[in-house]
Amino acid sequence: MEAFPYRHLLGIEGLPPQVIVGLLDLAEAYARHGPPAEAPLRGLTLVNAFFEVSTRTLVSFEIAGKRLGADVVNLVAGQSSLRKGETLLDTALTLDAMRPDVIVIRHEASGAVELIAGKVGCPVVNAGDGRHEHPTQALLDALTIRRRKGRIQGLKVAICGDLLHSRVARSNFLLLTALGAEVRAVAPPTLMPAGIEDYGVIPFTAMDEGIAGADVVMVLRLQRERMEGSFVPSTREYYATFGLTPERLQRAAPDVLVMHPGPMNRGVEIASAVADDIQRSAIAEQVAMGVAVRMACLDLLTRSRRG
Amino acid sequence: MTAPRPLWFRGVTLVDPRAETVRVGDLLVVDRTIAVVGQVDGAPDGVEVVDAPGVLLAPALVDAGVFRADLAACAVGGIATALLMPDQDPPLDDPALVERAERLGKPHLWVRPLAAATRGLLGRELAELALLAEAGAVAVATGRQAVADAAVWLRVLRYAAGLGLVVVAHAEDPALAAGGVATEGRMATRLGLPAAPACAEALVVARDLRLAREAGAALHFACLSTAEAIELVRMARAAGQDVTAGTSPAYALLDEEALAGFRSFARLSPPLRSAHDRAAVLQGLADGTLSMLTSRHDPRTTEEKRLPFADAAPGAADGALLLSLGVELVRAGHLSWPRLFQCVALGPAARFGLPAGRLEPGAPADLVLVDPDHSFRIAADRLPGLGRNTPFDGRDAWGRALMLVKGGAVVFRAGPV
């Protein structure tokens, strides 16, 4: 891919499979060979505007930007005017006035990143908006799967846990179905979004059935405030019914790949013995692929500006 | 105050919602009332003659529920009477506030306040319903939210029944609707929006029908939007219960697909529904289960709407579009002209005891002259009145008010196209 055919990367929705594959191929090159010697983003300014607290995604974008030679500025909620009553659009206009070359945005409201993107003069990358999308996470998950399994087409991928509140799940449904995987959506009924079949995924409300024969089991984080009686009765009941334990994992394919977007709740959605199993767990590799994918996105989105 | 000039509408198409007729004829207004309908022989001195062949003359619109008394929007929308929801700041729970609200529209608009059902609209204590009615409130309403507590609600219904007041209910279960900004389903899931199940409406309708029956109260649902709730009302009416229901154009003409791209103008309360529900709304309007089409005019500022979808304030400023959107329903074959004016004039007037909605000698001269063929594109940023927020932005529309007459006086004339 010479240049990204869109101005922004706001979501996986609407991306044709060949564009997704192009992004993955470039990320693969970065993962294999590291950043190019000429530092393609030298002299460009990357602003990471994180309205919602995040550590790993912010650091991942920061490292990706720096490896490409960009000047990186982080604006994080709590340290800036992002939380001082200024409206979102005023913040967008302020950011725009600083003439950044690319802005990475995370926000707790679905649609907020798209709203800001419409008001600024440079490319925007969605680093997670509410429950809506988290495209770079889905891309790094896909890259991880492709490296370990050699393909995505035809794989049985079970995405398990709090699907209702998860932007990671939504972006993954879109990406993995676009690339031809058989995707299963596994969640207790209280955490299963309505109309999920519309993504072309197969819903399961029992973990044991959902992961049976799966080539990939992706486990999502259960937020603490949703554990105690609101959506599930307790953490121990959740672990008993949905926790990914070594025993339960035996139902999956023998060479199953275990993934988690982090941060993990050990003993809630995943057992330590599974998370730390270096044969089957790709959790550390996901983090490494995150940097490569974000380098690819920043590189592609700024190509037209670099001439 | 001197009486306005007599008005002689000559050769217009008269739409009479009560007689359910559409016919060419004349109409003469003298002394604030309709003097003659049909053939006018000899006009009084000083009469203004309006020759408008091909144009409709109908009762001016009675909008059965607005959140703001917006004179400019109402004038363009052909609205001469607006029932004002009690959700004002402060809420209409005090006789002095009701009296003040009633004066808001003078001299261009009849504002008919709805009394807050509970003090502060908090759903806990009865408001002074008798004093509020004496001050001019035409009915009792819960406003933007249902009363959650069934015991309080039953007492409101009983007390209002004792006063002979219609009770206007908002049909959304407060617990199920809490935090929801869309209807549960495919669209809300795709956009990642907090959603409430559509049955939040039917749940309250079922409860309210049962409690109103217990209380012997006259019940009106301000705005229904789901097939299930409409069917419950249809069955209750067939069984003889004193219940009516309204809806608004958004639920008849749009569905949840309008949320695409996080368009916050489509953030409404109740939220937009499925295509199946939309079809049921059209059917309900056509068969009379829904007897009122109301704008729910709710102007919002740019600051309240230019936000991420879930943070944006709900509501649409559709007052100025009520007539045109009604015309669209006629053009699309869903309603006849008399049926439209039953929904936007006679129905609400009859239910709330107002002397409007009629095209007959002796009736007050609240009239609208309509060009049904005028075509235009709705532009939110050019809406008259207090709000620019409409989910119909960019839609091709037909019909406009050429002249609005209230109490025999011309309060609005359309400018040249």
Side-chain angles (χ1 to χ4, degrees):
Chain A
M1 196 167 10
E2 286 303 302
F4 195 60
Y6 307 95
R7 182 173 173 74
H8 309 293
L9 178 62
L10 300 177
I12 300 297
E13 181 142 42
L15 293 186
Q18 68 272 22
V19 170
I20 296 171
V21 170
L23 269 164
L24 295 178
D25 290 345
L26 183 61
E28 174 69 36
Y30 278 131
R32 231 178 253 185
H33 310 299
E38 75 273 22
L41 267 63
R42 187 186 305 282
L44 300 192
T45 303
L46 159 65
V47 172
N48 289 316
F50 276 55
F51 295 79
E52 185 185 75
V53 181
S54 150
T55 306
R56 58 179 61 213
T57 305
L58 176 61
V59 168
S60 183
F61 271 107
E62 183 171 2
I63 291 173
K66 285 180 171 166
R67 285 196 183 152
L68 293 172
D71 299 315
V72 182
V73 181
N74 295 335
L75 295 172
V76 179
Q79 298 174 4
S80 65
S81 68
L82 297 190
R83 274 282 159 267
K84 287 183 186 154
E86 187 178 67
T87 69
L88 192 56
L89 288 180
D90 283 336
T91 306
L93 294 175
T94 307
L95 288 176
D96 193 46
M98 296 171 191
R99 299 268 172 265
D101 297 289
V102 57
I103 307 178
V104 176
I105 303 170
R106 166 168 290 193
H107 197 282
E108 69 273 12
S110 301
V113 177
E114 189 171 329
L115 188 66
I116 298 173
K119 300 289 170 190
V120 298
C122 70
V124 167
V125 180
N126 181 0
D129 64 323
R131 310 174 182 182
H132 177 225
E133 282 230 42
H134 192 354
T136 57
Q137 178 72 42
L139 287 162
L140 74 88
D141 288 338
L143 183 60
T144 305
I145 295 170
R146 206 176 70 166
R147 297 191 109 209
R148 287 285 194 105
K149 295 285 181 190
R151 65 189 168 111
I152 288 172
Q153 172 91 34
L155 289 181
K156 294 184 177 67
V157 183
I159 303 179
C160 314
D162 182 0
L163 304 179
L164 182 63
H165 301 97
S166 176
R167 54 194 173 215
V168 175
R170 284 169 174 76
S171 289
N172 265 308
F173 291 158
L174 292 163
L175 192 155
L176 294 171
T177 54
L179 295 191
E182 177 193 314
V183 181
R184 300 150 174 206
V186 189
T190 48
L191 293 171
M192 182 76 83
I196 197 167
E197 302 84 354
D198 187 62
Y199 284 101
V201 303
I202 310 158
F204 287 87
T205 52
M207 185 75 168
D208 288 344
E209 292 168 26
I211 65 171
D215 300 299
V216 178
V217 176
M218 192 182 295
V219 183
L220 300 174
R221 176 181 169 78
L222 183 65
Q223 300 283 341
R224 191 154 289 279
E225 64 269 22
R226 292 172 189 137
M227 293 176 193
E228 305 297 341
S230 54
F231 287 86
V232 295
S234 67
T235 52
R236 75 173 181 184
E237 176 153 324
Y238 188 75
Y239 187 65
T241 52
F242 275 83
L244 192 62
T245 58
E247 302 73 46
R248 188 164 270 142
L249 196 55
Q250 286 175 7
R251 296 172 164 271
D255 59 344
V256 64
L257 190 65
V258 174
M259 303 174 72
H260 192 299
M264 282 183 282
N265 293 302
R266 291 167 183 265
V268 178
E269 69 259 3
I270 190 164
S272 281
V274 174
D276 299 334
D277 177 346
I278 54 168
Q279 294 302 317
R280 292 186 290 187
S281 168
I283 296 169
E285 189 173 351
Q286 284 176 274
V287 178
M289 290 308 107
V291 175
V293 155
R294 284 157 187 144
M295 285 169 73
C297 293
L298 294 172
D299 177 0
L300 279 175
L301 280 168
T302 55
R303 277 190 188 177
S304 62
R305 297 175 84 77
R306 304 190 325 247
Chain B
M1 211 166 94
T2 56
R5 278 175 77 185
L7 285 165
W8 180 5
F9 294 94
R10 209 155 56 179
V12 292
T13 302
L14 301 163
V15 179
D16 184 338
R18 207 147 92 114
E20 302 193 311
T21 56
V22 180
R23 63 198 167 105
V24 175
D26 292 4
L27 187 144
L28 182 69
V29 174
V30 180
D31 277 346
R32 305 180 190 281
T33 54
I34 297 173
V36 183
V37 181
Q39 183 72 39
V40 173
D41 302 310
D45 289 344
V47 71
E48 178 185 346
V49 178
V50 181
D51 274 312
V55 164
L56 307 178
L57 185 67
L61 274 57
V62 178
D63 193 339
V66 299
F67 290 93
R68 288 281 286 280
D70 185 342
L71 274 56
C74 286
V76 173
I79 298 163
T81 305
L83 274 63
L84 184 64
M85 285 290 197
D87 315 70
Q88 305 299 308
D89 188 14
L92 302 182
D93 64 354
D94 185 280
L97 296 170
V98 168
E99 281 175 16
R100 180 180 164 277
E102 200 179 22
R103 290 195 299 270
L104 286 175
K106 288 181 176 177
H108 297 289
L109 176 69
W110 301 112
V111 174
R112 306 296 190 191
L114 299 172
T118 58
R119 211 164 276 170
L121 285 173
L122 296 175
R124 293 202 279 268
E125 304 156 301
L126 291 180
E128 295 168 317
L129 302 184
L131 297 180
L132 295 172
E134 200 177 289
V138 298
V140 176
T142 65
R144 293 184 191 276
Q145 287 192 308
V147 173
D149 185 321
V152 173
W153 186 222
L154 179 58
R155 286 197 290 272
V156 168
L157 290 163
R158 282 182 168 149
Y159 196 83
L163 297 170
L165 291 168
V166 176
V167 180
V168 180
H170 179 79
E172 245 185 324
D173 181 75
L176 282 179
V181 299
T183 306
E184 257 186 24
R186 170 193 171 272
M187 198 66 190
T189 292
R190 285 254 169 188
L191 294 173
L193 294 173
C199 72
E201 181 170 288
L203 198 65
V204 165
V205 168
R207 178 195 74 164
D208 290 4
L209 286 170
R210 184 64 190 85
L211 290 178
R213 198 143 52 86
E214 194 71 21
L219 183 62
H220 173 70
F221 293 107
C223 184
L224 295 188
S225 57
T226 63
E228 193 182 357
I230 292 166
E231 183 57 27
L232 288 171
V233 169
R234 186 176 285 123
M235 289 191 299
R237 287 170 61 84
Q241 184 164 354
D242 185 1
V243 57
T244 53
T247 191
S248 93
Y251 307 99
L253 295 169
L254 302 174
D255 59 36
E256 59 197 354
E257 297 299 317
L259 273 62
F262 297 99
R263 291 175 66 234
S264 62
F265 282 177
R267 161 117 163 76
L268 305 178
S269 171
L272 288 171
R273 308 296 192 184
S274 67
H276 168 70
D277 287 319
R278 181 173 95 87
V281 167
L282 288 169
Q283 177 59 36
L285 282 170
D287 71 20
T289 306
L290 300 174
S291 55
M292 301 181 204
L293 186 67
T294 163
S295 73
R296 292 175 74 73
H297 187 65
D298 199 0
R300 297 292 188 174
T301 62
T302 307
E303 290 70 33
E304 290 174 296
K305 278 291 188 186
R306 211 184 271 166
L307 290 170
F309 192 92
D311 298 338
D318 283 342
L321 303 173
L322 182 58
L323 177 63
S324 297
L325 296 169
V327 168
E328 180 172 341
L329 292 173
V330 174
R331 291 180 64 102
H334 300 297
L335 307 178
S336 66
W337 287 114
R339 178 75 199 124
L340 171 62
F341 283 92
Q342 286 172 358
C343 292
V344 294
L346 180 62
R351 183 56 164 164
F352 297 107
L354 305 173
R358 296 178 184 184
L359 210 63
E360 48 205 57
D366 290 352
L367 300 163
V368 64
L369 194 65
V370 182
D371 174 0
D373 299 318
H374 171 73
S375 76
F376 66 108
R377 178 160 292 169
I378 295 169
D381 56 5
R382 290 205 300 273
L383 280 182
L386 303 171
R388 306 284 172 268
N389 49 302
T390 175
F392 294 104
D393 188 24
R395 189 182 186 89
D396 288 322
W398 292 270
R400 65 166 182 161
L402 295 173
M403 184 187 275
L404 179 64
V405 178
K406 175 202 167 229
V410 179
V411 294
F412 170 77
R413 284 177 206 266
V417 177

